[in-house]
Amino acid sequence: MWTNEETVLTASDAEALALMLGDCTRCSPGRAQGLIGVLQTADIVPDASFPADRVPMGAAVTYEHFDGVTRARIVLVYPGAAAPETGLVSVLSPFGAAVLGRAVGDVIEAPPPDGRRGPVRITRVERALRSARTKDAVEEELHA
């Protein structure tokens, strides 16, 4: 069993992300570095064994600031589907890489995309998307 603050990834997410990084001609080294670190240190588990309270690709993640009042929701997607202004956050962003594989209750130190400062706590994880790879697929699933 894993404790909070550890990163757990599905085997299919780990494989897809490693392939994406290997083929990432448009990735800046700084952006890719955070995700590389996650992949190097994460526990990889079979998809069927992935804990429901962890953040996989395509998950909707609700987080709250430590004021206890301000909450926000993002959906974790691949770079080609990212649209931060609508809550679709790239796994290559600092916040996206930081929430990947983390659990409800975990504290995330990376700056959240809502522009506020300070750490946030993950309060809810929902499976939102079957495909988080392209904007068209994401839009279709979110509006179905």
Side-chain angles (χ1 to χ4, degrees), residues 105-121:
D106 282 358
V107 174
I108 306 301
E109 299 288 339
D114 63 10
R116 301 216 26 218
R117 292 180 174 240
V120 299
R121 182 180 317 277

Side-chain angles (χ1 to χ4, degrees), residues 8-108:
V8 181
L9 299 179
T10 67
S12 61
D13 280 350
E15 180 180 9
L17 292 166
L19 288 171
M20 178 196 71
L21 285 173
D23 190 40
C24 198
T25 56
R26 297 178 302 172
C27 298
S28 70
R31 290 254 175 188
Q33 204 57 39
L35 183 56
I36 290 168
V38 169
L39 289 170
Q40 289 175 332
T41 60
D43 288 326
I44 311 297
V45 299
D47 292 18
S49 300
F50 191 71
D53 69 338
R54 296 280 172 166
V55 179
M57 289 301 300
V61 179
T62 302
Y63 62 89
E64 71 180 9
H65 290 271
F66 280 87
D67 62 10
V69 177
T70 309
R71 289 184 171 222
R73 181 178 183 263
I74 60 106
V75 177
L76 187 62
V77 298
Y78 289 88
E85 66 282 356
T86 63
L88 301 174
V89 174
S90 170
V91 68
L92 286 180
S93 71
F95 191 77
V99 299
L100 178 65
R102 300 296 291 277
V104 170
D106 282 358
V107 174
I108 306 301

